[in-house]
Amino acid sequence: MAAVLEDELYSAIQVKFMTALETVNTAVFTPAGSPAFEAATAFPNGRTEKFLDLNGSSHRYGFDASSWSVDSGIVNVWVKPDFIQTDAENNTVLALYSSTTTDGLQFGMYAGIDDWSAYIYMDGGVQQADTVGLTWSLDSVQHWVAMWHKTAGLDNSKSLSIYKDNVLVATQTTTWTTDGTDAFSTTADLGSDLAGAGDWFDGGIFDMTYLSYTTLAASHTDAEIVQALYSNTYSG
């Protein structure tokens, strides 16, 4: 195996939240409220970028995630939380749950465990990976990657893996089955849960990218993929 090249990452991209500097992909993502870009922030990998600030009460972006693979995939996102681990509110980054198909993907920080979780919902069942004991300061810049694979085809036979700042922090091994009727939501959300029903994310988001896992995993390990997404050489 070898380091992932930038053109390999771009070939695996299925959906991007941002298409250029300070430019949201409005062909796919529809805003609620008026999120605005903050002043430039230094990233731990050496980059300097502007986060899009979500206010935790009315800012979110809706989009159609029904074309996303329920079998496997990768979500990559940078966040800058305006909350810490003891916050009394849930802060959902991404919610793809469909009440029609009862299938979904969800990621965020949840007050019940004071940690971050990724969920896969499939036909009413749920697989969950939780971080344990993470701490962070207000406005800390964080890089998150969530990977999923229905037959535990991720490295080390995992079905769900969560990485924070290039480090594996949570996994799950439970598998699930899919058929032609399974699909994520046509009314998915970036920055809240279930079409703005609650659990709003309070803080900054820099990009969110959905990539094909099978495209990259054919030639690279999960760790190599995450390293490339985190790396300063990937313009995201």
Side-chain angles (χ1 to χ4, degrees), residues 167-199:
V167 176
L168 181 64
V169 291
T171 62
Q172 174 60 266
T173 58
T174 305
T175 61
W176 59 92
T177 59
T178 60
D179 59 37
T181 66
D182 291 309
F184 293 144
S185 180
T186 58
T187 55
D189 270 302
L190 180 67
S192 74
D193 186 16
L194 297 178
D199 295 351

Side-chain angles (χ1 to χ4, degrees), residues 32-211:
S34 301
F37 285 95
E38 304 175 341
T41 298
F43 281 48
N45 64 357
R47 299 167 62 170
T48 300
E49 306 284 358
K50 292 184 178 181
F51 278 87
L52 189 67
D53 185 51
L54 306 183
N55 65 2
S57 61
S58 61
H59 291 170
R60 65 180 181 88
Y61 284 83
F63 64 102
D64 183 351
S66 60
S67 65
W68 291 34
S69 173
V70 296
D71 296 341
S72 65
I74 304 169
V75 167
N76 167 70
V77 66
W78 291 86
V79 300
K80 190 171 75 167
D82 290 337
F83 56 86
I84 58 173
Q85 59 277 4
T86 55
D87 194 89
E89 303 295 330
N90 295 332
N91 282 265
T92 299
V93 175
L94 192 66
L96 313 184
Y97 182 78
S98 167
S99 58
T100 302
T101 63
T102 62
D103 306 325
L105 168 71
Q106 189 158 316
F107 174 71
M109 197 289 291
Y110 298 98
I113 61 171
D114 291 337
D115 258 295
W116 298 76
S117 295
Y119 301 84
I120 287 284
Y121 300 92
M122 200 57 54
D123 298 329
V126 60
Q127 289 75 44
Q128 179 176 349
D130 301 328
T131 64
V132 178
L134 292 185
T135 60
W136 59 92
S137 57
L138 288 173
D139 293 330
S140 61
V141 177
Q142 304 174 19
H143 180 246
W144 291 93
V145 175
M147 297 180 171
W148 65 98
H149 195 291
K150 69 174 186 178
T151 61
L154 304 179
D155 286 0
N156 299 312
S157 301
K158 306 302 182 185
S159 57
L160 270 172
S161 293
I162 306 175
Y163 293 79
K164 178 183 182 290
D165 296 335
N166 206 23
V167 176
L168 181 64
V169 291
T171 62
Q172 174 60 266
T173 58
T174 305
T175 61
W176 59 92
T177 59
T178 60
D179 59 37
T181 66
D182 291 309
F184 293 144
S185 180
T186 58
T187 55
D189 270 302
L190 180 67
S192 74
D193 186 16
L194 297 178
D199 295 351
W200 303 83
F201 183 79
D202 188 5
I205 288 181
F206 174 72
D207 210 357
M208 184 282 297
T209 310
Y210 161 56
L211 305 98

